[in-house]
Amino acid sequence: MTSCSRHGSHGLFGAIREDNVELVQHFLKELKPNLVDVFQHETRFGDTILSYSALHGRSEIIRILLRAVESIVEKDKDALSVPDLVDYESRRGKVAIIEAARNNKVDTVSILLYHQANANLRSKTHLKSAMDWAIILGHETIVGMIDEHTKLEERALCLFKSVTKFDTAKVEALTEGGVPFQRNQDAMFRQELESKRRLVDEATRSEKELLSSSHQIEQSKAETHRDVLRRAEHIEGLVKRRNEIVSRRKSEVATVTAEVRLAVTASNVDNVCNAPNPPLEYELISKSLCTLLHIKVKRAGTPSDSGSMVHWEAIKDALQDTNRFYHRIRHFHAVVEHVESAAKVGIEGLPGTCFDHLASMMKTEGDLGSVLMMALVHWLWTIFQQVDGHKQEHEHVMQESAESDLLERDRIDLRVLTSRGAILKRELDDVAASLKANTKQVSQLEKKLEVSKVMRYVAGGHTILSWAAGAGNEEIVKVLLKRGAHTAIGEDCIGWCATIVQVAFRRTLERKDFHRTKRFARESHERLKLDFVVSMRIKSLSNLIRERLRRIRLPLAEALFNGHSNVAMLLDGSDVPLFQAMNLFPLFGQPRGTIPRHPGDATSNDHDYLSALILGGEQCHHEQDPRDCGHVDSMKRGVDMFETFLRQKRKQMEAKISTRRATLYTKHRNAMASELTSALRRSDFPAVVLASESGNISQDFEDPATGLTPLIRAAMEDVHSPIHVWHRNAVGEPVTAVAYLLDRISPHRPSVDYENRRGHTALAMACMHGRVEAIRDLLDRGADVDRQSTLLKCTAYDLAVEENQHDVIECLDKLRSSGK
């Protein structure tokens, strides 16, 4: 096939780019004699047909190419293996599975992993594997897929080794959780697993909600309990304060009542009642007493009696029966409204109220001339003073009532919360039990699915059951059959076989019917066409079956070929032969004697190779003395060849590393030179120094376009410009760019008198542009003012004169005259 001279691709790459499956199949058919060269052909961009297909995610084309790879390996098993072509790395480090992983082609990665692609193989160019790229780029689906496949591969390989060593205990441990094989069991396991996971998710969500609700209830319960305790304490305080008020009132009232009792004597009553010209205060006190004690007052009947002391008369009448009067005093029950009304009474002739007069009397300790009247005054004053106490008592009673209602409500709420908490706890226990049971079932289903995948794993054409059947350990075969081992030929292959049987059987019956009835010639011609179509269909299905069975070794065939009759009888008594008694082709393939080749990097392949040699030596030695055993000599030669190969491989790797190191150094230096040029053009002198140090570049480096060096560019800086930026030296002082570059201690420090390819030095350019400050810094650091340019044949002073820089000329003349 002709390659394009521009980029080295050919028509197959174009067919892959256009996703033309039929054209790809046509090209592979035409190129069948040279397929190895086709798969290893690289474009100028380092693409192979496999890596290019993986890059674009052409899943169907990948399947076709991998079938072609398997056909190549089938023809030349000794020289090639599937990983040799599937994991082929181009000179630019492109590997099919790495390209698929980098571009997040999930289906392509799945197909390549199924065909033994090594996802952990690091490319020699980038030193990253497909797994590394998937992690870096955040392709979580591919990361999970590769991780699952790697674990499956490691587990399967460990199981193969355990079978080879006849380690039954290890085989049982690795297949723990497996169940006897059933058709479509993986689909059933996945469906049931998905259902159980949904139940687990729902139970987890319910558990979180119940825990949250339970936590809220516990918080509410604690708050309510604190409210109950606080309210009970508050009510207790109110009762205590109310009792104190009542006790103090009773004590005071009892005292003044006893005083009245002592004062109400016959002599005191006679003295008061017979007193001539009683003062108006008697009338005022009597009016208040009549109001409090509900004593009836006889109103004056004539106008002349309007000014008489009617209330005092009523009191005198009441005092005639001292016992009854005292009884009223003793059993007086205060009503706040009545007491306030009695305190506010007044009479004509005395300003103010009764309360005001009593207050004045109590303050001045006045005397009404009668012990009885003073006792009544003290009693009235005490009653009036108890008004606030009554109000406080009433308030306390109201507060007690309100708090008691709230307390009862809180206690009801507390009982409700306690009951609700108990209900939630029961629900939480039920959900936890359900979650535990479902989690356990999920774990069991995951184990079943993992064991089923291991039993379906194929390495070198062997399933674990065919490998155990070839090894001939009856006990291990029993364990594997019990744990779900099978031939792994696939449900589609069984469907193809059933289709062939049904089509062939029905076609045979139709032929018999046709010959028996002797149809016409036209129908015979149609029959021939139908026969051709049926035969082509049978042939295509047979080819598919043959391709499938060519890659998989059947357990019964391995047991029969290796002469393990007990294992063969054991397999014949199981359900396995029902799925494998369709084609005898695998009987013509000799079973392998070592562990199937494990696809992986160089280290894992070397380890497996040595393991295979050791295991082969353990099983195949015949002589007692190892020196007489021919297999020992062959193993020694194999080890010597392997050591030679490793030495050659090491030399090749060292040469590649050296070349790669030089290439990386050159690329880095070129990148730093580019960065230095960019910094020079924007006058970023700290960046110039950083690029010079990082790239190991002298600061006499010239800009390819302008010929300016960092020092020349610094000498051209105008310190009087509004955009000028001062630089800081090692001690933090502001300096010019010239001083900043020349004062640094570095092997890359610029030469003060360096002349560029245009014949200019830093001093010459400073003189031409009139940069007096730069001239002083250059001369202070050793610049030669009399140096003559090699190219221009003039000095810096001559250039200043030519450019009419009078300040520079004056500065140089002063320096010369001073001897500096």
Side-chain angles (χ1 to χ4, degrees), residues 150-361:
T150 303
K151 291 179 181 178
L152 172 65
E153 199 172 57
E154 292 174 354
R155 186 172 181 179
L157 183 63
C158 186
L159 190 56
F160 274 108
K161 290 183 179 180
S162 301
V163 171
T164 304
K165 295 178 180 179
F166 293 170
D167 190 348
T168 307
K170 189 69 175 291
V171 171
E172 290 179 346
L174 290 171
T175 59
E176 184 180 1
V179 294
F181 175 73
Q182 297 177 356
R183 292 185 61 182
N184 298 319
Q185 65 177 11
D186 285 2
M188 291 188 296
F189 288 160
R190 289 192 185 93
Q191 184 177 1
E192 190 174 357
L193 182 61
E194 188 66 26
S195 174
K196 293 299 180 182
R197 280 175 175 167
R198 282 197 299 270
L199 292 176
V200 168
D201 292 340
E202 292 175 1
T204 304
R205 187 164 53 252
S206 299
E207 186 180 35
K208 289 181 179 179
E209 293 174 355
L210 288 172
L211 284 173
S212 177
S213 300
S214 178
H215 181 65
Q216 292 176 358
I217 286 175
E218 289 299 325
Q219 287 182 338
S220 301
K221 186 177 175 181
E223 292 177 1
T224 306
H225 184 66
R226 286 194 297 270
D227 290 342
V228 167
L229 295 178
R230 190 182 69 253
R231 293 189 191 284
E233 184 178 356
H234 187 205
I235 291 172
E236 185 179 355
L238 290 173
V239 171
K240 184 177 180 181
R241 288 194 294 273
R242 181 169 62 82
N243 290 336
E244 289 176 355
I245 293 171
V246 172
S247 176
R248 186 170 58 252
R249 184 178 70 244
K250 287 182 177 180
S251 175
E252 292 175 354
V253 171
T255 301
V256 294
T257 303
E259 184 180 351
V260 171
R261 178 71 183 88
L262 293 175
V264 180
T265 61
S267 61
N268 288 336
V269 170
D270 290 338
N271 291 333
V272 169
C273 292
N274 297 321
N277 300 319
L280 292 175
E281 283 81 357
Y282 283 14
E283 176 65 13
L284 181 62
I285 294 169
S286 299
K287 189 174 182 179
S288 181
L289 284 171
C290 290
T291 304
L292 285 177
L293 299 177
H294 303 287
I295 298 175
K296 293 182 180 181
V297 179
K298 296 179 180 180
R299 298 297 178 181
T302 61
S304 60
D305 296 334
S306 59
S308 61
M309 303 172 68
V310 293
H311 295 89
W312 170 239
E313 294 296 332
I315 291 299
K316 286 197 298 183
D317 293 341
L319 286 173
Q320 297 305 316
D321 189 351
T322 56
N323 291 330
R324 185 177 180 184
F325 182 80
Y326 174 72
H327 179 79
R328 287 190 174 187
I329 293 293
R330 181 180 179 185
H331 296 284
F332 171 74
H333 178 70
V335 178
V336 175
E337 291 80 3
H338 291 166
V339 174
E340 289 179 343
S341 177
K344 293 178 182 179
V345 300
I347 62 173
E348 294 181 3
L350 284 178
T353 63
C354 182
F355 183 83
D356 296 334
H357 282 280
L358 291 181
S360 176
M361 291 176 64

Side-chain angles (χ1 to χ4, degrees), residues 654-674:
E654 288 175 349
K656 285 185 178 181
I657 291 170
S658 177
T659 305
R660 183 61 177 166
R661 185 182 291 115
T663 303
L664 291 175
Y665 176 78
T666 304
K667 289 176 65 177
H668 177 69
R669 197 173 188 279
N670 292 339
M672 290 299 101
S674 176

Side-chain angles (χ1 to χ4, degrees), residues 529-727:
K529 289 173 62 177
L530 185 58
D531 287 345
F532 176 75
V533 173
V534 171
S535 63
M536 289 300 294
R537 181 58 177 163
I538 292 176
K539 184 178 180 181
S540 65
L541 292 175
S542 299
N543 289 336
L544 290 174
I545 295 170
R546 191 171 287 106
E547 286 291 328
R548 177 67 58 83
L549 294 179
R550 184 182 292 121
R551 299 193 300 268
I552 298 177
R553 296 175 180 268
L554 300 181
L556 186 57
E558 296 297 309
L560 292 172
F561 186 88
N562 288 277
H564 303 307
S565 57
N566 293 335
V567 174
M569 291 175 62
L570 181 63
L571 293 171
D572 192 44
S574 68
D575 293 335
V576 178
L578 296 177
F579 305 127
Q580 61 184 218
M582 336 173 189
N583 198 316
L584 296 180
F585 179 80
L587 289 174
F588 298 97
Q590 182 176 356
R592 297 185 181 182
T594 59
I595 295 177
R597 178 172 180 175
H598 174 60
D601 54 16
T603 305
S604 62
N605 282 338
D606 300 343
H607 175 72
D608 293 339
Y609 177 77
L610 294 175
S611 300
L613 285 176
I614 294 170
L615 291 171
E618 290 178 352
Q619 291 187 355
C620 301
H621 71 278
H622 302 289
E623 303 293 338
Q624 296 294 331
D625 189 356
R627 292 173 296 181
D628 297 333
C629 182
H631 188 75
V632 173
D633 293 334
S634 63
M635 287 180 65
K636 288 181 179 179
R637 291 192 190 96
V639 172
D640 293 339
M641 291 174 62
F642 199 76
E643 289 177 351
T644 304
F645 167 76
L646 289 179
R647 283 194 296 270
Q648 293 175 354
K649 197 72 173 177
R650 181 174 181 176
K651 289 181 181 179
Q652 293 174 1
M653 292 301 297
E654 288 175 349
K656 285 185 178 181
I657 291 170
S658 177
T659 305
R660 183 61 177 166
R661 185 182 291 115
T663 303
L664 291 175
Y665 176 78
T666 304
K667 289 176 65 177
H668 177 69
R669 197 173 188 279
N670 292 339
M672 290 299 101
S674 176
E675 178 62 27
L676 195 152
T677 302
S678 176
L680 183 60
R681 290 176 180 175
R682 63 178 186 268
S683 299
D684 188 355
F685 294 100
V688 167
V689 172
L690 182 61
S692 171
E693 297 290 342
S694 179
N696 196 20
I697 303 172
S698 172
Q699 290 179 19
D700 291 329
F701 170 86
E702 296 184 23
D703 186 347
T706 62
L708 295 179
T709 66
L711 188 59
I712 292 175
R713 187 69 186 84
M716 295 168 61
E717 287 284 300
D718 185 6
V719 298
H720 302 293
S721 172
I723 62 173
H724 177 264
V725 177
W726 292 94
H727 301 277

